[in-house]
């Protein structure tokens, strides 16, 4: 692997926590992602299933984890099935985990091959109570779910139609919301590379440069430091493009006098960082740009104070909407009367929420209505978008919830307008 792997002890603990939450006598199946075809025989770059990775540390396709904590035979309690390699795979693709390597990474003692899974399930099914299957239940996902779980659940139901099925996604997603020390270390690795990429683009941005050239600088920094790559399609949005929240065409030219909004993040060891910074294309914010920028910075600082154990994201969002309304009035964008009449008047200039959980997924899985608790990692990203003036400003830092408030993982990345300008000077 390009990245430093975590200790197998982490995955042993995650499986124990998951096993403890299964119904008595139950078994659970977790699947690595399948390869996904682009066209012909070309594949999308592989990215592991988050729950499977969280439970095994195995970063390859077509592997399966079987958990059966109350199994009558100890060797059935945890079984990892890895894809059997072949001389052909060795010639064309190269390395795949051997059972010994998979054992060392995951801490699962009983490692077999996926071509034995059907036979194994037929052997154990008669002793198993409910069977848990894992589907993507992220409430923002609208794309098709290609998980092998669907195929295997159908197979299982065909063969053993009287078994009861249950959902494991909420169990693992809840565990994943509270990050362990090791996970925060990986996120810090992603943050460090994201910081370095910001400093790199700060020196690179100037009038005449294409948005995609900035994108190329970012990926250069990530790949050369052993990261997976981008956490998500990076947003490199100059001028009014910044008012399109998930703009990622990145095909325009940076113009003198515009502000450039960059929202990107590094993915390291499958953990993500997510930053937004705004830069004046010519190296110096205009008076108006600075007014808007400093308004957003004040909102971020006040919003971060609201992140603490017990707080609800919905309450934080309601409070940030009020703070943003105050700043929009000060900027002359809405009047106090308008704000009085319509408490959602801010929405025209700030049409999103202030943050999301962050981890193995950028918009991380789990219950967004759960009170904040120590170990959760979230973004804090207020913004103001004024399409009529061609300015969009968002400022985003990643924070860990502590016993008393937050640790700002991006406290060292320039954010004051003057510090951003200083970072741009050759
Ligand atoms: Mn974000």
């Amino acid at each position: 692997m390009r990245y430093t792997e975590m200790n197998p002890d982490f995955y042993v603990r995650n499986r124990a926590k998951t096993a403890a939450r299964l119904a008595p006598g139950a078994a659970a199946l977790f699947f690595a992602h399948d390869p996904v075809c682009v066209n012909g025989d070309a594949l999308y770059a592989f990215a592991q299933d988050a729950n499977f990775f969280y439970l095994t540390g195995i970063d390859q396709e077509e592997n399966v984890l079987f958990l059966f904590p109350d199994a009558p035979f100890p060797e059935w309690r945890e079984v990892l099935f890895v894809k059997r390699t072949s001389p052909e795979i060795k010639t064309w693709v190269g390395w795949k985990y051997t059972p010994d390597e998979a054992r060392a990474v995951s801490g699962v003692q009983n490692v077999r091959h996926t071509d034995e899974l059907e036979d194994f399930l037929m052997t154990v099914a008669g002793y198993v109570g409910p069977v848990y299957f894992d589907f993507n239940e992220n409430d923002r996902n609208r794309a098709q779910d290609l998980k092998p779980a669907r195929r295997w659940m159908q197979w299982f139901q065909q063969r053993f139609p009287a078994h009861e099925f249950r959902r494991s996604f909420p169990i693992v997603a809840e565990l994943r919301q509270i990050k362990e020390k090791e996970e925060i270390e990986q996120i810090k690795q992603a943050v460090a590379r994201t910081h370095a990429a910001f400093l790199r683009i700060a020196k690179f941005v100037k009038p005449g440069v294409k948005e995609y050239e900035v994108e190329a600088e970012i990926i250069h920094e990530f790949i050369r430091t052993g990261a997976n790559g981008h956490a998500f399609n990076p947003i490199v949005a100059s001028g009014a493009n910044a008012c399109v929240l998930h703009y990622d065409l990145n095909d325009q030219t940076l113009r003198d006098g515009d502000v450039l909004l960059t929202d990107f993040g590094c993915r390291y060891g499958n953990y993500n960082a997510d930053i937004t910074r705004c830069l004046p294309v010519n190296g110096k914010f205009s008076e108006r740009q600075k007014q808007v920028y400093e308004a957003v910075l004040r909102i971020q600082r006040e919003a971060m104070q609201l992140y603490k154990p017990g707080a609800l994201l919905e309450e934080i969002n309601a409070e940030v909407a009020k703070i943003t309304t105050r700043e929009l009035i000060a900027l002359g964008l809405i009047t106090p009367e308008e704000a009085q009449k319509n408490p959602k008047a801010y929405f025209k200039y700030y049409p999103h929420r202030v943050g999301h959980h962050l981890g193995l997924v950028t918009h991380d899985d789990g219950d967004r209505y759960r009170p904040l608790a120590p170990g959760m990692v979230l973004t804090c990203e207020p913004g103001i978008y004024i399409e009529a003036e061609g300015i969009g400003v968002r400022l985003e830092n990643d924070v860990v919830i502590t016993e008393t408030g937050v640790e700002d993982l991006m406290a060292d990345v320039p954010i004051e307008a003057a510090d951003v300008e200083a970072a741009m000077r050759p």
Side-chain angles (χ1 to χ4, degrees):
M1 291 298 156
R2 296 181 187 190
Y3 58 86
T4 306
E5 287 170 298
M6 285 192 268
N7 194 298
D9 180 53
F10 171 70
Y11 305 108
V12 171
R13 293 197 317 267
N14 294 344
R15 289 193 300 275
K17 286 188 272 188
T18 303
R21 284 163 171 79
L22 302 179
L29 281 157
F30 294 92
F31 298 88
H33 277 158
D34 279 342
V36 182
C37 172
V38 182
N39 274 306
D41 68 346
L43 303 177
Y44 284 101
F46 179 72
Q48 186 58 290
D49 176 83
N51 285 351
F52 185 82
F53 185 76
Y54 181 77
L55 295 171
T56 64
I58 296 290
D59 207 354
Q60 252 169 31
E61 70 288 350
E62 295 177 283
N63 299 306
V64 185
L65 174 69
F66 175 82
L67 299 180
F68 184 12
D70 301 331
F73 297 115
E75 61 264 36
W76 289 357
R77 283 180 198 152
E78 292 189 334
V79 191
L80 180 64
F81 295 85
V82 298
K83 191 183 162 118
R84 194 189 298 276
T85 191
S86 65
E88 199 193 11
I89 292 175
K90 277 190 181 133
T91 301
W92 286 88
V93 185
W95 171 74
K96 295 285 165 191
Y97 290 101
T98 64
D100 282 343
E101 287 167 336
R103 189 175 297 118
V105 169
S106 65
V108 176
Q109 295 310 306
N110 189 3
V111 182
R112 304 174 62 163
H113 287 111
T114 37
D115 53 23
E116 300 171 281
L117 178 62
E118 248 189 55
D119 185 73
F120 175 82
L121 290 176
M122 289 193 270
T123 304
V124 301
Y127 303 92
V128 164
V131 186
Y132 287 73
F133 281 92
D134 183 32
F135 291 99
N136 180 0
E137 298 176 18
N138 188 304
D139 62 3
R140 295 172 70 131
N141 178 46
R142 296 293 174 275
Q144 210 191 330
D145 183 357
L146 298 169
K147 285 194 172 206
R150 185 178 308 281
R151 214 165 55 235
W152 279 96
M153 201 170 110
Q154 280 161 358
W155 176 87
F156 204 99
Q157 189 159 38
Q158 203 69 38
R159 183 85 205 182
F160 302 103
H163 273 66
E164 181 195 337
F165 293 140
R166 297 212 185 167
R167 299 153 52 212
S168 49
F169 185 86
I171 295 173
V172 184
E174 185 186 338
L175 293 173
R176 278 175 41 208
Q177 269 187 326
I178 308 287
K179 273 69 183 175
E180 298 280 341
K181 274 198 317 287
E182 298 95 318
E183 296 183 281
I184 291 172
E185 277 315 306
Q186 294 296 75
I187 293 173
K188 283 181 176 173
Q189 292 292 326
V191 166
R193 288 159 173 80
T194 304
H195 184 171
F198 170 73
L199 296 178
R200 185 178 176 120
I201 63 171
K203 293 272 185 278
F204 181 80
V205 163
K206 56 179 180 294
V209 161
K210 291 281 191 182
E211 291 168 346
Y212 54 73
E213 292 182 78
V214 177
E215 177 181 332
E217 291 297 307
I218 297 169
I219 196 69
H220 186 145
E221 189 62 32
F222 294 165
I223 297 297
R224 82 174 188 87
T225 56
N228 303 75
H230 290 299
F232 51 91
N233 290 339
I235 298 167
V236 184
S238 57
N241 295 336
C243 301
V244 179
L245 297 177
H246 283 172
Y247 171 87
D248 62 6
L249 286 174
N250 304 350
D251 62 353
Q252 298 300 302
T253 305
L254 309 194
R255 290 179 319 185
D256 194 348
D258 275 351
V259 173
L260 174 70
L261 181 152
T262 57
D263 182 347
F264 61 94
C266 174
R267 181 171 166 86
Y268 178 85
N270 296 337
Y271 284 85
N272 298 293
D274 187 0
I275 197 170
T276 308
R277 286 293 185 271
C278 296
L279 309 101
V281 169
N282 63 16
K284 195 152 175 50
F285 288 107
S286 72
E287 271 316 304
R288 177 61 172 172
Q289 288 165 353
K290 208 161 159 180
Q291 275 180 349
V292 178
Y293 189 96
E294 286 176 345
V296 177
L297 187 53
R298 276 192 297 275
I299 300 168
Q300 196 204 43
R301 297 225 158 110
E302 289 181 48
M304 242 185 240
Q305 299 290 317
L306 305 170
Y307 284 50
K308 56 183 130 196
L312 295 171
L313 270 180
E314 288 312 288
E315 288 170 2
I316 296 173
N317 279 315
E319 199 53 40
V320 170
K322 284 187 212 155
I323 299 165
T324 303
T325 300
R326 181 197 75 204
E327 294 292 344
L328 292 173
I329 293 169
L331 289 168
L333 292 166
I334 57 178
T335 64
E337 295 71 35
E338 277 170 320
Q340 191 76 42
K341 239 193 295 174
N342 174 17
K344 293 211 94 183
Y346 72 85
F347 203 76
K348 181 177 171 197
Y349 300 100
Y350 168 56
H352 60 81
R353 289 181 269 211
V354 75
H356 52 84
H357 289 267
L358 178 72
L360 285 168
V361 181
T362 301
H363 294 156
D364 209 9
D365 300 318
D367 177 2
R368 66 168 87 231
Y369 306 103
R370 179 179 176 190
L372 299 188
M376 287 181 174
V377 176
L378 296 113
T379 65
C380 182
E381 48 178 315
I384 292 177
Y385 312 88
I386 318 168
E387 215 185 327
E389 298 181 35
I391 307 175
V393 174
R394 177 166 65 251
L395 295 171
E396 175 178 30
N397 285 25
D398 303 339
V399 303
V400 188
I401 306 294
T402 63
E403 295 297 331
T404 52
V406 294
E407 178 192 353
D408 182 354
L409 298 176
M410 291 177 165
D412 296 341
V413 187
I415 194 164
E416 289 283 351
D419 293 340
V420 171
E421 289 173 351
M424 293 181 75
R425 284 196 277 275

